Amino acid sequence: MLTKTAEHQVNFVIDFDSTFTQVEGLDELAAIALAGNKDSEKIVGEIKAITDKGMLGEIGFADSLKARVALLPAHRDHVNTLIEFLMGKISDSFARNREFISMYRENIYIVSSGFKDFIVPVAVSMGVKEENVFANTFTYDAEGNITGYDESNLLSQDKGKVKLLQALQLEGDVYAIGDGYTDYELRESGLANKFFAFIENIERQKVVEKADEVVASLDEFLYINGLSRSQSYPKSKIKVLLLENVHPKAVAAFKNEGFQVELLKGALDEEELIERIKGVSILGLRSKTNLTKRVLEHPNASRLMAVGAFCIGTNQIDLAECEKRGIAVFNAPYSNTRSVVELAIGEMIMLTRDIFTKSNKMHQGVWDKSATNSYEIRGKKLGLVGYGSIGTQLSVIAEAMGMEVYFYDAVDKLALGNAKKCKTLEELLSISDFISMHVDGRKTNSNIIGEKEFAMMKDNVIFINLSRGHVVDIPALVNALKSGKVWGAAVDVFPYEPKTNDEEFINELRSLPRVILTPHIGGSTEEAQANIGEFVPSKLLQFMNNGSTYGSVNFPELQLPALEDAHRLLHVHQNVPGILAKINGIFAKYNVNIKGQYLKTTNNIGYVITDVAKEYADEIVEELKGLDNTIKFRMLY
């Protein structure tokens, strides 16, 4: 860990534009000064192009600066406007690490080829010493117009940063942090011990190739060097793998947090997932990818901390194995219920009005204006197999449309409205005009509707399955359709589904009349996917950033308060007697001040969260990790 001792003093030389702030100050000044000018876009574009060439070392810096200022018709008032703008454009990782700036302010130097006129107010507002800010200065005429700059300033010259550091003669090591070639020149000259290419705001490949280290944020720089920081781990090192083309809102949620995100459009089989999961901490999937025990026990999955199912069901995930390994799993139990319900209602109406037969005839030029085989759904009996979040919502809407609703569920459920509970599945099947499946994907639900069950149904029943593909015996459904027992069917889920849109869908239901086939799109509406794209990442981020597990389907549920002025130690362990006593014994041994402690268990694992005062012995962490029966341990602050 770096210290400020005389024996090992470290000086931090930090660039300003696109490093300390998110933007290039001179470019933004041009945009402000030229606002309303008909040639604004052209001139600002020219200035930015010159900036980029200078930052990449393609032209000399002195020439770059002279050319840009010559294009700049700015006034002192424009500089003041720029200062206000830059106050809101401080790089996120710098803004959250004021404590580092305060702690090392004697050794932090802002060295920029920009201009003190706008740099000093912004840097000083963050705790940087004014005398440690080195940059160019504008010259003005009597009316306050910028006429040029002080050309005697070392930083206006080629290799200006090198010349300045030679003049400063800093004692101790020098770490240069920046996004441009002029920052690398400090390392090239031997004046800086290391050059860290900062890519939070912009990544210049020619600069990255020259760097000792590439850091995606100040947090990452501080983490690498063992320095005080606002985050216990650099989020740019956390890899998120999102499968099956989840909604862009999910991708944005993780990227906005600074995580490293990879998005794949299709599903992965077991072998592909084993290969792709290497180094992944957060996995997001939908219904087609199976997260099996074999995948989870592979060394490639050793860093996995959390899984998000961007759907309702979780039967594609080995929840028990995830729990055993301390991996929290979250899903979206309610986000797409309305979409599934609307599809079910729509399909019931389409089938009972025999719309597809009439539509196909119309496309063939046949005008069949007849009421034959066309009925209302009002007054008909709807039988719901499964009365969970989708079944109950369908129940309410169907009843509002005049249907009589019956339901059967293996678990005792409270009926909503005038819905009636059937004591047995057989009772439900025998009385229903419509049967709609809404059960979960557990293995015991395999083929719960087969030849025997179809035989129990009324003649000319309409059958709908929007739940899971394996709950219905497809050959039995085909026979029931061909015999006329089932008048029409709508099926959205299948025992085997193509992994991508390029794979052919093969199923015995193809080409049968009065059968609506949809490619597992029950919850695939823009609204539902957007809701899921927000809901699941929010749960995963709460777990990663706060430790909260509320809403997890396999983990002890804890909704934790915000972490304030403390470090949070999270310990997942096998649920055996005495673990909490051992944990607290370690805290007592080192005289740690506990600010809060939370415990929740399942039959198999325990989850202890302890908030402690920031000052404690480093040995505590190692002892907590080394406790018998420990599954996972991590820290947050």
Side-chain angles (χ1 to χ4, degrees), residues 67 70 375:
Y375 303 92

Side-chain angles (χ1 to χ4, degrees), residues 369-575:
K369 190 178 187 304
S370 166
T372 304
N373 295 326
S374 184
Y375 303 92
E376 294 180 351
I377 64 171
R378 180 178 57 172
K380 307 301 188 295
K381 294 181 176 65
L382 170 62
L384 301 172
V385 182
Y387 204 61
S389 56
I390 294 175
T392 52
Q393 190 171 154
L394 179 55
S395 170
V396 171
I397 294 176
E399 186 177 323
M401 297 180 73
M403 301 187 80
E404 293 182 38
V405 179
Y406 298 83
F407 70 92
Y408 170 75
D409 199 297
V411 178
D412 191 26
K413 298 286 183 71
L414 177 68
L416 299 182
N418 295 314
K420 301 175 183 65
K421 180 179 181 179
C422 294
K423 294 181 179 179
T424 64
L425 177 60
E426 291 77 5
E427 178 187 355
L428 179 91
L429 299 178
S430 66
I431 62 176
S432 301
D433 301 305
F434 297 83
I435 295 171
S436 189
M437 305 295 296
H438 299 289
V439 298
D440 61 37
R442 69 189 68 180
K443 291 181 180 180
T444 53
N445 282 336
S446 294
N447 290 336
I448 57 174
I449 302 294
E451 293 283 2
K452 175 184 173 184
E453 288 71 28
F454 282 116
M456 296 176 184
M457 298 178 190
K458 296 170 67 173
D459 290 341
N460 295 319
V461 69
I462 288 176
F463 182 79
I464 296 172
N465 183 20
L466 306 180
S467 60
R468 295 292 183 274
H470 65 267
V471 305
V472 178
D473 180 356
I474 296 297
L477 174 57
V478 171
N479 291 337
L481 284 160
K482 289 180 176 179
S483 69
K485 168 63 76 169
V486 173
W487 163 257
V491 183
D492 185 53
V493 287
F494 306 89
Y496 175 79
E497 299 177 356
K499 290 191 293 182
T500 69
N501 291 344
D502 297 327
E503 183 181 343
E504 183 183 0
F505 167 67
I506 298 174
N507 194 278
E508 298 166 76
L509 291 168
R510 282 173 52 176
S511 302
L512 291 179
R514 294 189 299 275
V515 176
I516 302 174
L517 301 177
T518 50
H520 205 147
I521 56 167
S524 295
T525 61
E526 288 294 337
E527 294 88 348
Q529 292 308 306
N531 288 340
I532 294 171
E534 290 179 339
F535 183 85
V536 176
S538 74
K539 293 298 182 183
L540 292 166
L541 290 171
Q542 284 174 22
F543 175 67
M544 296 297 294
N545 295 337
N546 180 262
S548 290
T549 54
Y550 184 74
S552 174
V553 296
N554 74 322
F555 225 69
E557 283 193 89
L558 279 171
Q559 191 159 12
L560 300 170
L563 181 60
E564 295 182 359
D565 196 32
H567 285 187
R568 178 163 287 172
L569 311 181
L570 305 99
H571 193 275
V572 184
H573 53 268
Q574 295 168 352
N575 188 11

